[in-house]
Amino acid sequence: MSMEDPMTVYLTTTLPFVNARPHLGFVLELVQADVLARYLRGRGAAVRLHTGTDDNSLKNVLAAETAGVGVREFVDANAAAFTALAQPLSLSIDSVIRTSADPRHRPGVEQLWRAGAAAGDLYRRHYEGLYCVGCEQFYTPGELVDGRCPDHGTAPQPVAENNWFFRLSRYQDEVRRVLTDGTVRIEPIERRNEILAFLDAGLEDLSISRSVARARGWGIPVPGDATQVVYVWWDALANYITALGYGTDETELQRWWIGADRRIHLVGKGVLRFHAVYWLAALLSAGLPLPTEILVHDYLTLDGKKISKSTGNVIDPLDLVEKYGVDAVRWWLLREPPRLGDADFTEARLVHRADDELANGLGNLLNRTVSLVHRKLDGRAPSTNSLGPQSEKLYEALAAADARIESALGDYDFRAATEAVRAIVAAANRYVNDIRPWEFDAGHPDLEAVLATLWESCRAIAGHLTPFLPDLAARVTAQCTPTPTGRVPLPRPVQRRLGAA
Ligand SMILES: [Zn+2]
């Protein structure tokens, strides 16, 4: 990788249905994607972070009917609520698509359809099945729990109609091959193994259209068949390339898909099959490159219960940001959910993390450092190249942080990556507690070197923190940057405590 030719990375989130306002579970995915994007940009990569909304769903139509609002008005309002997350959550999003409104999307979906037809992969037949609108997918009786959707607990609707099918069965061996030979990496590995087991059970061809009547006229018409609209998942998956101009102007497609070094999809565990089987088969059929990585996160629960609009168990992410600040919200989302397994959110846990690790940990270190610079050096930035006494362990921790964070993010392990940052803050606090520089006289021979060590540590910590908490990192850097007159800004807390002492 040379300076002239940086690594090119296309990074996507899934597109949420806009049947409701955004919940914290989707924000988890957005924040994870943002961290990876910021981290890779910091390493010199050219990154395009893409997200959007999945507008063309029957689920959206039904929710609009329930709300007594026109579908267009309803979808526009909820899509706007998703777009409005970017600024308060400090998300560095480069590209947003709305599948019902972006002029590039429909021609791209039509192009993908024609590519499948040209490959001999599409055919029409009568179909009867059990459909969950909540999931927007058919279930086999064996996949149901007591006759109900395993995800929604509702009885699926029997559907009998003439649909277009995609010859998914044809791709069983090739999908298995790309998932096992390193072409497409799924993390964590447990999730890849689930998909391999699904493949071993045998793939059936996939219905990829709906009657216009059942779709209530909402969706993208099947090319050449006015009685059908494209299955919402087939339409939604295509967004990853239609947003780059597939089927319209393919300049961006060349750069960010075909020519990219890494094509990374972030997905929740519930939609992995769509990405790791159906989407791969669609791309193989169309002769397009596959994603290089599919990174799978689990779910959040809220006070021990599944986040669900129907039970009212939801929390508005923007209310949390308003109440606790973006750093505290991002920190909890990155710090607590394990790599595998659900995580339970409570406000008390968020407050505890932020108080313990941001206010007491980092805030305390920075406050003491800047206060000492003011009291002992009269607000002049410490300037010496000599190492502080007994600083070997601290420098070792700082030197190791880079590799620890790189390895953790390489494993898609945000908890381990943020733990690496927490660990260097702890090492720096231990150092200042051991040395006790506040007891030094103004003429103490080690004073300048100790303060320089702390000062440089704070700046290095801010650098490591940047992809995770860009706002807090910027405030730490500002506190450790002399003004044009050479004065260090007066100490101020970078992170206030949120809970009771
Ligand atoms: Zn369902």
Side-chain angles (χ1 to χ4, degrees):
M1 184 173 123
S2 69
M3 291 297 285
E4 296 77 39
D5 187 19
M7 179 189 276
T8 306
V9 183
Y10 184 50
L11 192 59
T12 71
T13 72
T14 51
L15 302 194
F17 293 131
V18 287
N19 61 316
R21 296 174 62 79
H23 67 61
L24 197 59
F26 182 61
V27 169
L28 170 71
E29 186 172 309
L30 285 169
V31 169
Q32 289 184 342
D34 180 66
V35 169
L36 291 178
R38 289 178 185 273
Y39 178 77
L40 291 167
R41 287 190 202 107
R43 316 272 290 191
V47 179
R48 184 178 176 102
L49 173 53
H50 171 71
T51 186
T53 54
D54 183 353
D55 299 352
N56 296 329
S57 153
L58 179 57
K59 189 169 170 162
N60 299 338
V61 176
L62 298 180
E65 280 177 8
T66 305
V69 181
V71 183
R72 168 53 61 195
E73 186 189 338
F74 181 82
V75 163
D76 284 354
N78 277 331
F82 279 88
T83 313
L85 294 172
Q87 196 269 335
L89 282 154
S90 299
L91 303 170
S92 59
I93 293 164
D94 300 299
S95 146
V96 178
I97 191 168
R98 292 197 47 208
T99 56
S100 73
D102 194 301
R104 296 165 303 176
H105 186 63
R106 178 170 166 177
V109 171
E110 290 169 347
Q111 175 66 26
L112 188 66
W113 188 278
R114 284 191 295 267
D121 284 333
L122 305 190
Y123 64 97
R124 207 171 199 266
R125 77 166 164 94
H126 180 75
Y127 186 73
E128 290 178 15
L130 297 166
Y131 195 81
C132 174
V133 177
C135 295
E136 293 282 12
Q137 72 173 101
F138 281 108
Y139 279 100
T140 62
E143 290 172 322
L144 299 175
V145 179
D146 299 328
R148 290 169 176 272
C149 167
D151 216 41
H152 292 92
T154 49
Q157 301 168 353
V159 170
E161 62 188 26
N162 229 301
N163 291 150
W164 286 95
F165 275 72
F166 176 78
R167 289 189 204 280
L168 187 63
S169 54
R170 198 185 246 188
Y171 292 93
Q172 176 162 331
D173 294 342
E174 210 172 346
V175 169
R176 172 171 250 292
R177 181 182 64 73
V178 299
L179 293 179
T180 47
D181 73 0
T183 307
V184 182
R185 179 177 165 217
I186 299 179
E187 287 291 341
I189 194 84
E190 291 84 351
R191 297 291 172 221
R192 185 193 72 158
N193 294 342
E194 287 171 14
I195 290 297
L196 294 180
F198 175 68
L199 290 170
D200 287 344
L203 290 182
E204 289 184 27
D205 290 350
L206 181 70
S207 164
I208 57 165
S209 75
R210 306 284 173 258
S211 72
V212 170
R214 189 154 68 83
R216 317 272 174 114
W218 185 251
I220 296 178
V222 165
D225 184 348
T227 70
Q228 301 274 305
V229 296
V230 177
Y231 173 36
V232 64
W233 263 106
W234 207 251
D235 151 356
L237 289 167
N239 97 86
Y240 300 130
I241 53 176
T242 65
L244 298 173
Y246 174 71
T248 50
D249 175 351
E250 299 196 346
T251 317
E252 289 184 330
L253 186 79
Q254 273 301 331
R255 177 168 187 209
W256 295 105
W257 190 268
I258 295 169
D261 298 289
R262 296 172 71 184
R263 296 170 288 275
I264 308 173
H265 295 315
L266 270 78
V267 309
K269 62 179 173 183
V271 298
L272 176 57
R273 188 183 299 179
F274 295 94
H275 290 81
V277 180
Y278 308 158
W279 177 229
L280 298 191
L283 289 166
L284 288 167
S285 170
L288 288 164
L290 302 176
T292 57
E293 288 134 278
I294 301 174
L295 308 179
V296 190
H297 63 81
D298 279 25
Y299 291 153
L300 298 182
T301 56
L302 202 56
D303 293 322
K305 290 190 273 308
K306 187 183 168 185
I307 296 180
S308 159
K309 194 167 164 281
S310 49
T311 59
N313 198 36
V314 289
I315 193 159
D316 186 332
L318 293 186
D319 286 349
L320 282 182
V321 171
E322 178 100 346
K323 198 165 165 190
Y324 300 113
V326 61
D327 298 312
V329 173
R330 283 177 65 117
W331 191 246
W332 186 87
L333 290 170
L334 295 164
R335 195 77 187 89
E336 288 223 359
R339 193 160 169 274
L340 194 68
D342 294 345
D344 190 46
F345 175 86
T346 67
E347 292 192 31
R349 289 198 177 103
L350 177 149
V351 167
H352 178 75
R353 277 286 176 194
D355 280 354
D356 187 34
E357 297 178 349
L358 301 182
N360 292 348
L362 178 56
N364 203 16
L365 171 69
L366 184 78
N367 230 6
R368 288 200 285 185
T369 301
V370 176
S371 296
L372 283 165
V373 163
H374 273 270
R375 274 192 282 127
K376 305 287 184 183
L377 299 182
D378 193 27
R380 167 181 63 78
S383 58
T384 172
N385 290 327
S386 35
L387 304 184
Q390 302 168 51
S391 61
E392 297 80 9
K393 273 213 175 100
L394 173 55
Y395 280 108
E396 270 168 33
L398 284 167
D402 247 338
R404 284 187 70 189
I405 293 169
E406 180 177 23
S407 148
L409 289 182
D411 288 342
Y412 191 46
D413 188 343
F414 296 93
R415 193 191 250 188
T418 46
E419 166 58 23
V421 178
R422 190 208 61 80
I424 45 178
V425 172
N429 270 321
R430 269 196 305 277
Y431 178 73
V432 71
N433 285 339
D434 288 349
I435 299 287
R436 308 174 70 80
W438 52 86
E439 293 175 352
F440 287 10
D441 295 330
H444 193 289
D446 291 332
L447 177 64
E448 186 95 5
V450 167
L451 293 185
T453 298
L454 289 172
W455 175 266
E456 287 308 321
S457 299
C458 287
R459 292 178 64 89
I461 287 164
H464 289 306
L465 191 63
T466 295
F468 307 99
L469 304 183
D471 296 65
L472 181 56
R475 292 202 299 284
V476 172
T477 303
Q479 280 277 278
C480 296
T481 304
T483 66
T485 63
R487 298 281 302 172
V488 171
L490 282 167
R492 57 191 165 90
V494 294
Q495 173 73 35
R496 69 186 167 85
R497 281 182 55 89
L498 301 171

